[in-house]
Amino acid sequence: MRIGLEDIEVVETEARTRNAVALLVDTSFSMAMEGRWAPMKQTALALHHLISTQFRDDELTLIGFGLYAQTMTIDELTALPPIQEQGTNLQHALLLADQFFARHVNHEPTLLIVTDGEPTSILTEWGEAHFNWPTDRITLARTVDALDQVTKRGARTTFFRLADHPGLIALLDALAKRSGARVVAPDLGELGGAVVGEYLRR
C-alpha cells in the first residue's frame, strides 16, 4: 500500500478550553484606608497582562464595586482614585459578572473576587443603591441570590479575603460552602501571585 500526502489529514486533538474570567475588585474606601488600593490595582494589571499576551482566546472583564459596581477597562481601573463613600456592593458586581458570562456562553466561567469587607450595599429595582451597615437581611439575601445565579452558570468562584474580622470570615466561608467556591487569604504582597495562580490553576 502506498500513502501520499493527499492521504494524510492532520487533526488537532489537544483540547483548549476558553475561559471567561470576571475579576471583581473591592473599590470601597476601606481598601485605600488599609493600604490595599495599590496591591488591588497591581493584581488587576498582572492578570490583564497575562491574558492579553499569553491567553488571548480567553475573555476578561474587570468590575469594581463600592457603593455601586461598574465594569472598567484596565486604564480606567488603574487611574481610579479612592472615593470616600460607604458601601460594598458585591450584589451589583455579581449581576454585572452574570451578564458577562451570559455573553460568553461558549467559555468556561471563572469568577475571582477580591474584597476586604462584608456586603453593605445592593442595587434596588429602581437603579438606586441601598446602603446599610451592618449588613442587613435584605442585602445578604440579594447578594446570595446574585451568587446563586452565577453558580448556576457553572462559574468556578474564588474569594480572596483581605481582612481577618470574624464577620467577614464567617460570611465568605458560608458563601463558599453554598457555591462550591474557595476562600484564599493571601498577604497583600502575595495578592497578585495568588490571583494569577488561581486563574492558571483553573
Side-chain angles (χ1 to χ4, degrees):
M1 174 185 286
R2 294 183 179 181
I3 299 177
L5 290 176
E6 67 277 5
D7 300 314
I8 299 174
E9 180 180 357
V10 178
V11 178
E12 185 175 344
T13 59
E14 180 183 357
R16 289 191 175 93
T17 302
R18 295 190 298 173
N19 291 276
V21 184
L23 176 62
L24 280 52
V25 291
D26 191 337
T27 56
S28 61
F29 195 62
S30 64
M31 291 284 287
M33 291 291 290
E34 300 295 332
R36 299 168 183 137
W37 198 256
M40 174 270 288
K41 290 185 176 184
Q42 292 164 356
T43 297
L45 272 170
L47 185 61
H48 177 269
H49 177 74
L50 179 66
I51 291 177
S52 62
T53 59
Q54 297 189 40
F55 296 93
R56 295 179 181 176
D57 287 339
D58 287 357
E59 297 289 341
L60 172 67
T61 190
L62 303 172
I63 300 171
F65 59 99
L67 180 61
Y68 293 89
Q70 58 181 321
T71 301
M72 301 179 178
T73 66
I74 190 61
D75 291 337
E76 289 170 338
L77 179 58
T78 53
L80 184 71
I83 301 173
Q84 193 168 355
E85 66 178 9
Q86 294 178 311
T88 303
N89 200 333
L90 178 58
Q91 177 246 9
H92 190 190
L94 289 167
L95 294 177
L96 295 177
D98 185 59
Q99 293 172 10
F100 169 72
F101 293 142
R103 295 193 300 269
H104 298 89
V105 293
N106 295 322
H107 292 61
E108 292 291 330
T110 297
L111 180 63
L112 308 172
I113 303 171
V114 176
T115 187
D116 72 346
E118 301 167 54
T120 55
S121 179
I122 57 172
L123 190 70
T124 64
E125 291 82 355
W126 51 92
E128 299 291 333
H130 164 77
F131 169 79
N132 195 77
W133 187 90
T135 304
D136 60 20
R137 296 179 66 179
I138 294 175
T139 300
L140 182 57
R142 296 282 181 85
T143 302
V144 169
D145 286 346
L147 180 62
D148 285 350
Q149 182 60 36
V150 296
T151 301
K152 288 177 183 177
R153 291 193 185 277
R156 299 165 297 178
T157 303
T158 306
F159 293 95
F160 297 88
R161 177 173 53 78
L162 301 186
D164 295 324
H165 48 89
L168 179 63
I169 293 173
L171 176 62
L172 293 188
D173 285 349
L175 292 179
K177 183 177 180 180
R178 181 183 182 90
S179 61
R182 281 167 40 91
V183 179
V184 179
D187 293 333
L188 273 183
E190 300 172 351
L191 176 60
V195 170
V196 168
E198 187 69 8
Y199 161 68
L200 293 174
R201 189 182 75 84
R202 293 295 191 181

